[in-house]
Amino acid sequence: MTVALTLVAAGCIALLDLALFANVRVFGSHPSGAVAAVAVWCVLRRRDEAMLLAPAAGLFLGLLGNEPLGASVLGLAPTVLLAVRRAPLAPEGRFLTTLRAAAAGSALYSLTLAVLVALLRQVPLAPVALARQMITSGLLTALVAGVLYWPMARVAWQAHLPGRFQRS
Amino acid sequence: MTLPRTLTWFLMVAVLAGVGLLMSLTGAAQPLQSAAQRIAEPAEAALRSLSAPLTEGLATLTSLRRLRAENRELRLENERLRVALAQAREDDVRAAALTELLRLGSQFGSDKLTVANVIARDPTPMRAVVLIDRGTRDGVQNGMPVLGKGGALVGTVERALEGNAWVRLITDPKSAANAIVQESRWSAVAVGGPDHTVRMEFLEQGAEVKPGDTVLTSGLGGVYPPGLLIGRVAKVEGGPLDVFKRVQVEPAARLSSLESVAVLTGFHPTPIEGLGR
């Protein structure tokens, strides 16, 4: 996929996150569509694509959303690191890796954003509420990643490792 | 992925994020954000409206338990309010009825009236008898006249008990009162009928009576004080060969829906042998 298409995908992910996933309130929290998409992308697509997609999506989120510009760029980085570093060689373990990366990545994304917003906009941090938000959002994002994984695996699978795991 | 490459990437991302955050801090990011939001606004609005049913459905599903509890609570509160409203309306009706009855006090003297509520009706066929919640301990005695809200005659105390009294209505077949037609001053006896009507008996054929005339108690016989309103003449029948006219009287008091009455406790009947029933 070209860089341009990756950027378009990043824009679409940011739009979907803001227009759809931000409104899906479950127990006072919402899943992060961007984290879920990045986690799935990291596992299923080439690493260089994922490493471009995540900061681009973060930039779009900063431009289109209400958060400080750059906060999501930093917030999405842990997801890439978790998914890419832990991506297994065998395809069987990729699904669980995606879920783990989405859950942990979402929790870290929430933490990063909360800390940056607190620092830059003098919004007080509420540790208990933040912990609850991190856990709920992590679980919901893992769920979304699980839903996204199978259709994306069918249409967008491309091994980032050479050899026998490439789709025949 | 090698560690140095990951580190390099992360450093680049951190620098990019730092620049963005710095721009946000200085306000330089605001024009960029405004422009981007203006461009993306139609697409975002379209997506939001498309996804609205899904998000609303999810929100309803997740708050189902809270909604159920709220619904239960509101139903309970609604029931409580309905009961309170019904009681308030009932109190209003009773207060209005009692106020009207108390006005009679000025006519008969407040110490001569006892206001009572109708609490039961005698279910015996052809009888027109009601039970009131005042009895001998309230000064109610057998034979005392009982009036309706407007002061019209309702009946007589048939049997006074300690806390209650049975009142025989003027429509009861056993009821009889000496009456007078106010307009023509002709006297007769107003008696109850088996069909719960009141008719005047022993009214001479030559008596001048017409529908709409007022019928009052005459006071003859000492059973009722004079001047109590019984009702109005509803129908006059009888041919020239009949000895008496047949006159039907429409009672002034609404006997079918009696709720409150006043017992004329200041009046003690002294029946004269051979007059009335």
Side-chain angles (χ1 to χ4, degrees):
Chain A
M1 187 180 270
T2 62
V3 171
L5 280 177
T6 309
L7 292 178
V8 169
C12 290
I13 288 169
L15 260 180
L16 276 171
D17 196 23
L18 291 168
L20 175 65
F21 292 105
N23 297 319
V24 179
R25 290 264 158 197
V26 181
F27 303 120
S29 188
H30 62 83
S32 169
V35 170
V38 166
V40 174
W41 206 285
C42 287
V43 174
L44 294 176
R45 300 287 302 183
R46 289 205 316 268
R47 286 172 186 173
D48 53 341
E49 269 182 28
M51 291 170 105
L52 176 61
L53 181 84
L59 202 60
F60 278 120
L61 280 170
L63 283 170
L64 301 175
N66 189 37
E67 66 205 36
L69 188 66
S72 280
V73 175
L74 202 61
L76 287 171
T79 310
V80 178
L81 295 175
L82 285 164
V84 170
R85 281 185 63 79
R86 291 178 145 271
L89 294 178
E92 294 79 26
R94 283 183 183 144
F95 180 66
L96 282 179
T97 302
T98 307
L99 297 190
R100 276 200 299 266
S106 175
L108 290 169
Y109 179 74
S110 301
L111 180 67
T112 310
L113 249 64
V115 170
L116 285 175
V117 168
L119 284 173
L120 295 175
R121 292 185 178 165
Q122 281 83 44
V123 178
L125 263 179
V128 178
L130 178 60
R132 197 167 51 227
Q133 159 84 19
M134 283 168 70
I135 293 167
T136 320
S137 177
L139 291 172
L140 291 171
T141 305
L143 191 72
V144 172
V147 173
L148 286 177
Y149 183 86
W150 298 109
M152 277 184 76
R154 287 189 71 82
V155 298
W157 193 89
Q158 188 177 337
H160 41 71
L161 291 168
R164 60 197 174 98
F165 297 114
Q166 280 188 333
R167 188 163 53 181
S168 56
Chain B
M1 178 180 253
T2 56
L3 190 64
R5 197 180 160 200
T6 314
L7 259 178
T8 312
W9 174 80
F10 185 72
L11 282 174
M12 282 171 66
V13 166
V15 168
L16 182 64
V19 171
L21 291 170
L22 201 63
M23 285 174 74
S24 282
L25 209 58
T26 55
Q30 210 170 340
L32 276 175
Q33 285 176 314
S34 299
Q37 281 166 11
R38 210 169 32 248
I39 293 165
E41 205 273 328
E44 205 177 326
L47 267 174
R48 199 172 290 138
S49 65
L50 275 175
S51 61
L54 175 74
T55 53
E56 278 169 21
L58 268 172
T60 309
L61 270 178
T62 52
S63 54
L64 209 56
R65 242 176 90 182
R66 184 180 54 80
L67 287 174
R68 274 203 191 124
E70 201 176 291
N71 189 35
R72 208 166 33 238
E73 191 59 39
L74 286 172
R75 274 173 186 272
L76 201 66
E77 195 180 328
N78 189 32
E79 193 180 323
R80 273 192 221 116
L81 289 172
R82 276 171 182 271
V83 168
L85 184 65
Q87 278 173 350
R89 278 187 185 148
E90 197 58 23
D91 288 349
D92 274 357
V93 171
R94 285 204 174 283
L98 291 174
T99 308
E100 280 195 51
L101 283 170
L102 287 172
R103 274 196 207 120
L104 293 174
S106 58
Q107 189 181 333
F108 296 98
S110 56
D111 55 332
K112 293 175 181 173
L113 274 179
T114 299
V115 176
N117 291 314
V118 175
I119 53 173
R121 278 178 182 272
D122 186 352
T124 313
M126 301 205 323
R127 292 298 317 267
V129 181
V130 295
L131 185 67
I132 58 172
D133 62 353
R134 292 283 184 269
T136 49
R137 67 166 169 236
D138 306 296
V140 176
Q141 290 174 17
N142 290 349
M144 284 180 168
V146 179
L147 310 180
K149 279 192 286 190
L153 184 65
V154 161
T156 325
V157 176
E158 186 178 66
R159 192 154 54 99
L161 308 169
E162 194 189 344
N164 305 101
W166 287 100
V167 174
R168 186 174 62 223
L169 304 184
I170 51 172
T171 50
D172 186 86
K174 284 178 73 178
S175 183
N178 282 307
I180 186 171
V181 179
Q182 191 178 38
E183 285 78 5
S184 58
R185 313 307 294 176
W186 281 91
S187 294
V189 181
V191 296
D195 50 353
H196 292 193
T197 55
V198 177
R199 63 182 192 281
M200 290 184 82
E201 286 186 347
F202 311 119
L203 192 63
E204 286 180 25
Q205 190 53 248
E208 295 162 16
V209 182
K210 59 185 184 303
D213 281 356
T214 308
V215 180
L216 306 170
T217 54
S218 65
L220 292 173
V223 178
Y224 296 102
L228 293 179
L229 179 67
I230 295 174
R232 296 162 78 92
V233 174
K235 206 191 288 181
V236 182
E237 290 174 328
L241 295 176
D242 291 333
V243 180
F244 299 109
K245 280 191 169 174
R246 292 195 296 276
V247 176
Q248 201 169 321
V249 178
E250 185 188 344
R254 285 183 62 190
L255 302 175
S256 56
S257 57
L258 275 180
E259 288 180 4
S260 308
V261 293
V263 183
L264 215 52
T265 44
F267 179 81
H268 296 276
T270 48
I272 300 164
E273 197 66 33
L275 283 175
R277 289 192 190 179

